[in-house]
Amino acid sequence: MAYIFASDPHGTGAAWIKLVEAAKQDYPHAQVVFGGDYIDGKRDVKMTLQYVMDQVKDAGAWALKGNHEQMLQDFVEHGDSLWFINGAKTTLQSLYSRIGSLDQIKAQLLASPYLAFIQSLPTLLETDRIIFVHAGVMPTTNYLTTSDQNRLWMRETYWYDLGTNVIAHNRTGKTIITGHTPTSMIDGVMFDAKGHEYHLSALQHPECPVLEIRYHGEPARIFTDNGCHGSLMDNHGNVVVLNDDGEIMQVYSDNTNGWVKILV
């Protein structure tokens, strides 16, 4: 079994869909897994979100919830305004021809298929060898105790050993693949078995390629966010094909260097 992981398009639309479809054509029997953050950012949210919904309904794809979908849900269910400083306007302009009052927006979403879809999404999916999650889990043997909040939002507490900038070991026994954090943000120090240091600098990877970080003898942690929602608005996403053991087989990206491996 192969898996196609595609995360964080943030309304990219046709350019991101093209990458997913290219992977599907090359690996027609692979299980597609969408990693969240389909909304907020670029203008083609409706196309992007509808594509994900159609793939789940008609083609058996799996889909995770991202923190941006959770913000939309929190607005509707609890009146939380955080969504409106994180891309809500662009999403609403794409979904609806007219944006009304907050009460009208809430009513539109309540009556739409989008909210019901978002509410149905899990925060973690896994196989015997792979953990699919939007932001991360505590990379320990009891990773399933990681809260939904952390699965959707965590950054440094997933990358590092507590209180340091040393890249944490992956003690889950499984490859972990995430989106959420543009890979140009990830840096730190890794130590090999002999205590030699490897410095991972964010400045080494400004174009946000897929970043595979692995200590010797451990499964990898794979970071895939291409920066579509950040300053790299011309990026269209990273799509990763994994085998059943959680090893990367191919990367589809518009970056020249779409995949960087760090092994210590």
Side-chain angles (χ1 to χ4, degrees):
M1 169 70 80
Y3 298 89
I4 297 169
F5 185 78
S7 190
D8 295 84
H10 284 289
T12 297
W16 177 73
I17 293 169
K18 182 178 179 180
L19 293 174
V20 179
E21 287 295 316
K24 288 177 60 182
Q25 182 173 347
D26 291 343
Y27 297 89
H29 302 297
Q31 174 65 55
V32 177
V33 184
F34 296 113
D37 281 7
Y38 317 113
I39 66 173
D40 302 344
K42 299 181 182 179
R43 65 182 182 181
D44 290 325
V45 169
K46 186 173 183 178
M47 179 191 299
T48 306
L49 184 55
Q50 192 63 56
Y51 174 76
V52 172
M53 292 169 63
D54 290 344
Q55 288 294 301
V56 170
K57 179 182 177 182
D58 300 330
W62 300 346
L64 289 163
K65 185 183 297 184
N67 60 305
H68 283 260
E69 286 80 42
Q70 186 64 54
M71 284 188 282
L72 182 157
Q73 183 176 333
D74 288 344
F75 161 69
V76 175
E77 295 179 351
H78 308 296
D80 193 320
S81 62
L82 182 61
W83 185 38
F84 286 86
I85 59 174
N86 283 282
K89 183 177 179 180
T90 304
T91 291
L92 292 166
Q93 287 173 334
S94 180
L95 295 181
Y96 304 111
S97 58
R98 179 178 178 275
I99 302 175
S101 67
L102 293 182
D103 286 342
Q104 289 170 329
I105 292 169
K106 187 179 295 186
Q108 284 177 308
L109 290 169
L110 280 167
S112 76
Y114 309 121
L115 177 64
F117 177 72
I118 287 168
Q119 289 172 322
S120 73
L121 297 176
T123 59
L124 182 143
L125 295 163
E126 63 180 328
T127 69
D128 289 343
R129 301 289 183 88
I130 308 169
I131 297 167
F132 302 98
V133 61
H134 178 66
V137 294
M138 296 307 296
T140 60
T141 54
N142 62 343
Y143 62 90
L144 286 174
T145 63
T146 306
S147 68
D148 284 341
Q149 177 78 2
N150 279 334
R151 293 175 185 181
L152 293 170
W153 284 97
M154 66 195 305
R155 295 193 195 277
E156 287 86 351
T157 50
Y158 171 57
W159 313 334
Y160 299 144
D161 281 326
L162 188 63
T164 74
N165 74 331
V166 177
I167 299 294
H169 287 262
N170 180 3
R171 307 297 194 192
T172 66
K174 299 185 179 187
T175 295
I176 311 170
I177 185 164
T178 63
H180 184 57
T181 299
T183 60
S184 62
M185 294 173 59
I186 299 170
D187 59 14
V189 179
M190 299 175 71
F191 294 96
D192 67 16
K194 296 181 179 179
H196 299 141
E197 295 185 10
Y198 181 94
H199 290 262
L200 173 63
S201 169
L203 297 177
Q204 293 173 312
H205 312 296
E207 294 184 345
C208 291
V210 171
L211 187 59
E212 179 183 3
I213 301 175
R214 184 196 304 255
Y215 281 100
H216 182 73
E218 296 177 4
R221 288 188 295 169
I222 301 169
F223 302 82
T224 70
D225 191 325
N226 192 221
C228 294
H229 189 246
S231 60
L232 301 177
M233 293 296 283
D234 291 333
N235 285 11
H236 302 140
N238 292 317
V239 175
V240 181
V241 182
L242 305 172
N243 66 18
D244 199 39
D245 290 327
E247 298 169 344
I248 296 178
M249 300 168 67
Q250 193 165 347
V251 170
Y252 295 78
S253 176
D254 49 15
N255 284 346
T256 304
N257 186 3
W259 175 15
V260 175
K261 298 181 183 181
I262 310 296
L263 171 64
V264 173

